[in-house]
Amino acid sequence: MPRDRRTAKSIRVLLAEDQGMMRGALALLLGMEPDIQVVAQVGAGDAIVDAALTHRPDVALLDIELPGMSGLDAAAELRDQAPDCRVLILTTFGRPGYLRRAMEAGAAGFLVKDGPVEELAASIRRVLTGETVIDPALAAAALSAGPNPLTARECDVLRASADGATVADVADRLHLSESTVRNYLSAAIGKTGTRNRTEAVRAARQQGWL
């Protein structure tokens, strides 16, 4: 881009995306906007906060499913450690539960990746002015889906058992008794309307509760 097209005060953006090709394409496209500058790119969730503290972005554009730490968990940490940085979640997975969790983590916006880059750039500008930007279809789906019925501990147990771990393994990981783990699993299965913990994990993930 010719240097004279860049505005005097560009919006500084941190980009977190684990797929290198997608990350590079987004950085290139956003860099073509005269008022946006991508100042940092990371491919793992646990690198987000350090990058934000180093580069001081105005807006952090975060994917959800990242190695090391999810974008949702990183958003919550940014709220505490870099409160001046606005967070915009950009994801392939437009799940209602993800939207609710993003808002609870302090995100200022939530968009799915299939939108045009012009819309993304406009959303970056809008969240910087204090607006909250949410994909309309996802907002409607979240309202119709209702709140997450699972408790935090039930979610913990489902996550810990997602890799096929035994009840004993889960109990050891979470420092719980095996009977307590079974109770949490039973409750989660009932609340998700499924037949076993494998189906419960799948159903909870589809809703964005995990």
Side-chain angles (χ1 to χ4, degrees):
M1 179 191 306
R3 187 176 297 273
D4 60 1
R5 285 194 59 205
R6 182 69 64 185
T7 59
K9 179 65 173 69
S10 294
I11 301 171
R12 298 170 60 82
V13 172
L14 180 153
L15 178 59
E17 163 64 54
D18 63 330
Q19 297 183 26
M21 185 175 295
M22 173 68 76
R23 185 171 66 246
L26 278 174
L28 179 63
L29 291 170
L30 289 174
M32 296 175 69
E33 297 292 322
D35 59 340
I36 294 176
Q37 180 183 9
V38 178
V39 296
Q41 301 179 46
V42 299
D46 49 10
I48 291 172
V49 172
D50 285 346
L53 294 176
T54 300
H55 298 280
R56 296 295 176 181
D58 302 303
V59 177
L61 187 60
L62 311 181
D63 191 9
I64 290 180
E65 298 195 352
L66 295 166
M69 175 186 292
S70 76
L72 298 176
D73 290 335
E77 288 205 8
L78 285 175
R79 177 185 55 196
D80 296 333
Q81 299 194 42
D84 293 334
C85 178
R86 302 282 280 172
V87 173
L88 182 59
I89 299 293
L90 183 66
T91 181
T92 304
F93 305 101
R95 296 168 180 164
Y98 279 168
L99 173 56
R100 289 180 179 274
R101 289 169 60 194
M103 296 300 102
E104 291 169 358
F110 194 109
L111 298 173
V112 291
K113 290 180 181 178
D114 58 0
V117 70
E118 293 82 9
E119 180 179 316
L120 175 58
S123 297
I124 290 172
R125 298 181 186 106
R126 289 171 62 190
V127 298
L128 195 57
T129 66
E131 288 188 56
T132 298
V133 181
I134 300 173
D135 178 88
L138 184 58
L143 287 174
S144 64
N148 179 3
L150 302 174
T151 66
R153 212 46 166 156
E154 287 163 0
C155 288
D156 289 340
V157 170
L158 283 181
R159 288 191 193 95
S161 61
D163 60 357
T166 65
V167 169
D169 291 336
V170 174
D172 185 59
R173 290 177 188 175
L174 299 180
H175 307 291
L176 299 171
S177 70
E178 292 185 27
S179 62
T180 299
V181 169
R182 290 191 182 93
N183 288 338
Y184 282 133
L185 287 172
S186 178
I189 290 168
K191 290 178 180 179
T192 54
T194 53
R195 296 172 297 180
N196 54 56
R197 62 174 173 166
T198 300
E199 291 185 1
V201 169
R202 185 182 305 116
R205 281 180 168 169
Q206 287 173 346
Q207 290 294 328
W209 296 333
L210 298 184

